[in-house]
Each structure stands twice: as structure tokens, then as C-alpha cells.
Amino acid sequence: MSQHQKVESIEGYSHISTVVNKTQQMMDKVRSGHLKPLFTSSQKEKDKIGGYYAGDQVVIAARTGVGKSAKITSDAFDFCDPILNQYYAQDILILWDSWEMADWRNILRMISRQGSIEAKALL
């Protein structure tokens, strides 16, 4: 390959011009209303990142006991909230994967949140 030949991709990486073009296309979709974000009830998230979009992958990492599971549970309920996310009212699918606790414990936390009862009291 010559020194001046443009490389479009190398094993999963894209040339910056490809990403710039894709960014412009995404901005156009958002501005035209064809692509809508999912919102949480956090005003700070709304102000800083403008919501979550299809294909976003978010990793939440922190020490034990600082609220990671509570944050994700809250966000999941927010994503399904028909007032916060009118555009997606009945068309949302959440796939949940937790490496921190058993599946039933996550559901217990959801029930606890909905009923405003501590998980320990439910048990």
C-alpha cells in the first residue's frame, strides 16, 4: 500500500472521515426528529449528554455499595416511563445483565422500589 492511499478501516477501526460523516448523519436525524433519545429523570444527564441513543453502551463502575444497581434500576423505570419517553411508549425492550448480584435480587430491588418497601422487609 502506498503512503498516500486512504485506509477506510483496519480490523474494526474506521477512518476519521467515515466517523465524521456518520456523526453528521446522526445529527441530522436528531435535528429532524427521526431519531429520539431515551431520557432519565436526571436533569444533569439531560443537560450533559442529551439522553441515550440506540447503540449506546454504558458501563457503570464503582466501589461496592455506592448505588450502581439503584442507578440502573431507576434508569430502567425511567426508560419505560411514558411521560419521560413518549416517543417510545410501548416500544422499549430492556436487556439486563448484572455481574454483581443474582437475577432474583435485581427483581426484588425493583419490587422494593415500586412499593417503597425496603428489600429486607420484603424478605
Side-chain angles (χ1 to χ4, degrees):
M1 177 181 343
S2 82
Q3 211 173 345
H4 302 287
Q5 194 172 3
K6 182 178 172 184
V7 176
E8 285 300 318
S9 66
I10 298 173
E11 296 181 41
Y13 291 91
S14 299
H15 189 273
I16 188 68
S17 63
T18 304
V19 179
V20 169
N21 290 337
K22 181 178 181 180
T23 302
Q24 185 61 55
Q25 291 171 1
M26 297 302 285
M27 289 169 57
D28 291 344
K29 286 180 182 181
V30 171
R31 290 176 180 162
S32 69
H34 287 95
L35 181 61
K36 306 242 187 230
L38 278 168
F39 293 112
T40 67
S41 55
S42 167
Q43 190 60 45
K44 186 182 273 188
E45 283 179 358
K46 249 183 241 181
D47 292 345
K48 296 289 183 185
I49 64 172
Y52 294 94
Y53 291 91
D56 283 353
Q57 180 178 3
V58 179
V59 175
I60 297 179
R63 293 182 317 274
T64 301
V66 296
K68 298 178 301 292
S69 296
K71 165 74 173 134
I72 293 299
T73 300
S74 177
D75 286 355
F77 277 96
D78 286 350
F79 291 155
C80 297
D81 185 307
I83 295 169
L84 282 173
N85 294 297
Q86 297 173 26
Y87 182 77
Y88 294 101
Q90 300 300 317
D91 298 322
I92 187 95
L93 171 67
I94 296 175
L95 302 175
W96 191 297
D97 187 14
S98 173
W99 295 352
E100 188 175 34
M101 66 180 68
D103 52 1
W104 69 271
R105 284 194 163 285
N106 281 306
I107 299 301
L108 181 67
R109 284 186 173 203
M110 287 182 189
I111 295 167
S112 168
R113 181 182 188 274
Q114 283 298 104
S116 299
I117 303 168
E118 289 187 23
K120 185 177 177 181
L122 288 170
L123 292 172

